[in-house]
Amino acid sequence: MNQMKHVAIIMDGNGRWGIKNKKSRNLGHRQGLKTVEMVIEETIKNKIKFLTLYAFSTENWKRPRIEIRFLLNLLESFLKENIDKLDKNNIRLKVIGNLVRFPTKIQNLLTISQQRTKKNSKLQLNLALNYGSKDEIIRAIKLIKKKKYEVNEKMLNKFLYTFGIPDPDILIRTGDTCRLSNFLLWQLAYTEIFFVKKMWPDFTKKDFVNCIDSFLSRDRRFGKRV
Ligand code: FPP
């Protein structure tokens, strides 16, 4: 039986859900936050130690300013309203991505939240923010070259944002779209991928548990013949 340590999720379809149900993409994002809360609870219930959520990509800056502002406000209120709860529930918050483009008050809030929760051990919640996998890999290679180290797999792992985090066992992408969108390209080499038709706000506990159960019964060979 497979064991699961790490679930990664591309939470796609908020905008389409919002337009269809409430006539506003932003209300789709707000609804998506409820699914985030459900998934955090379920991840803990299933004793999975790492959850990585793609919350804002390097490409998301190309969206209209008003939508970007809404997403940043949502992130800010999520942190302000939930940091006590995350800490109390022994959850460690970690950001992967380059934060320099974010407003200073959000950078500060993220730094404080990471600092405050860094000793927590029940679940590590990784938020991918201004994250792009190609950026991450190039950044790692530049850092290795700067230190004049040899470029190899172990060294590259060491300089990625995800150092110390096991590679995802499963990736779930909602929103009826079959692509990786520059998310964890290196780390997903052997990950089992689930493309789900539902939009993120409609993704339920049962859908999540179905992905977990399906993974647990899959045969993973990592390229070996058995
Ligand atoms: C993709 O849907 C979703 C995003 C770019 C943002 C995801 C954000 C949340 C779920 C809420 C904030 C989360 C945290 C953890 C604070 P889309 O807008 O690309 O949907 P579409 O494909 O229908 O346009």
Side-chain angles (χ1 to χ4, degrees):
M1 187 83 141
N2 293 317
Q3 227 205 355
M4 189 172 323
K5 293 197 189 91
H6 185 180
V7 178
I9 305 183
I10 302 178
M11 312 178 286
D12 196 15
N14 288 344
R16 279 167 288 163
W17 186 94
I19 296 293
K20 197 167 156 222
N21 290 279
K22 311 252 183 193
K23 311 276 180 279
S24 146
R25 292 181 53 83
N26 287 346
L27 286 172
H29 293 310
R30 194 187 294 288
Q31 192 67 23
L33 204 48
K34 297 200 173 127
T35 311
V36 167
E37 286 165 11
M38 175 280 285
V39 158
I40 293 174
E41 272 177 36
E42 280 309 301
T43 306
I44 292 177
K45 270 195 211 151
N46 283 277
K47 301 193 168 51
I48 298 162
K49 288 281 180 191
F50 297 87
L51 172 66
T52 302
L53 302 176
Y54 204 5
F56 198 93
S57 74
T58 44
E59 286 73 34
N60 286 154
W61 296 108
K62 294 181 199 142
R63 293 192 176 199
R65 283 218 344 240
I66 187 155
E67 184 172 344
I68 294 175
R69 195 167 317 132
F70 187 87
L71 282 168
L72 296 184
N73 285 341
L74 205 58
L75 173 65
E76 187 180 349
S77 52
F78 170 77
L79 290 170
K80 284 185 172 157
E81 286 162 24
N82 289 287
I83 193 63
D84 283 344
K85 195 169 148 202
L86 293 179
D87 196 21
K88 213 171 97 211
N89 289 327
N90 201 8
I91 298 172
R92 176 180 183 184
L93 185 82
K94 160 134 178 101
V95 175
I96 60 168
N98 185 349
L99 292 187
V100 288
R101 266 188 93 173
F102 286 98
T104 316
K105 65 172 178 178
I106 295 195
Q107 288 187 39
N108 290 342
L109 196 55
L110 287 164
T111 308
I112 292 167
S113 307
Q114 290 183 93
Q115 189 66 24
R116 178 166 163 195
T117 60
K118 73 176 183 200
K119 296 221 167 78
N120 293 347
S121 58
K122 184 161 253 172
L123 170 71
Q124 181 167 319
L125 172 62
N126 304 310
L127 288 187
L129 293 169
N130 191 25
Y131 174 87
S133 191
K134 289 186 178 181
D135 260 12
E136 180 189 31
I137 293 168
I138 289 168
R139 174 182 170 273
I141 294 170
K142 282 185 178 162
L143 290 169
I144 296 169
K145 284 188 73 179
K146 204 167 155 191
K147 291 193 179 282
K148 298 196 167 50
Y149 293 153
E150 190 193 336
V151 180
N152 56 36
E153 193 173 326
K154 199 171 162 206
M155 197 54 81
L156 196 77
N157 275 325
K158 201 168 169 176
F159 283 91
L160 295 174
Y161 292 122
T162 49
F163 179 57
I165 302 170
D167 287 342
D169 299 296
I170 66 170
L171 168 75
I172 299 170
R173 180 177 188 143
T174 57
D176 200 16
T177 305
C178 298
R179 57 172 171 262
L180 296 178
S181 300
N182 203 13
F183 189 48
L184 303 174
L185 302 178
W186 171 270
Q187 297 87 338
L188 294 177
Y190 283 100
T191 300
E192 303 281 327
I193 302 181
F194 295 83
F195 293 110
V196 177
K197 283 199 162 36
K198 282 187 181 176
M199 302 297 122
W200 179 247
D202 284 333
F203 187 70
T204 62
K205 205 187 278 194
K206 189 161 179 286
D207 297 322
F208 188 47
V209 173
N210 279 346
C211 293
I212 296 173
D213 286 349
S214 165
F215 165 84
L216 292 175
S217 60
R218 277 188 195 182
D219 182 17
R220 298 178 90 203
R221 292 187 295 275
F222 298 96
K224 286 179 289 201
R225 264 187 97 190
V226 282

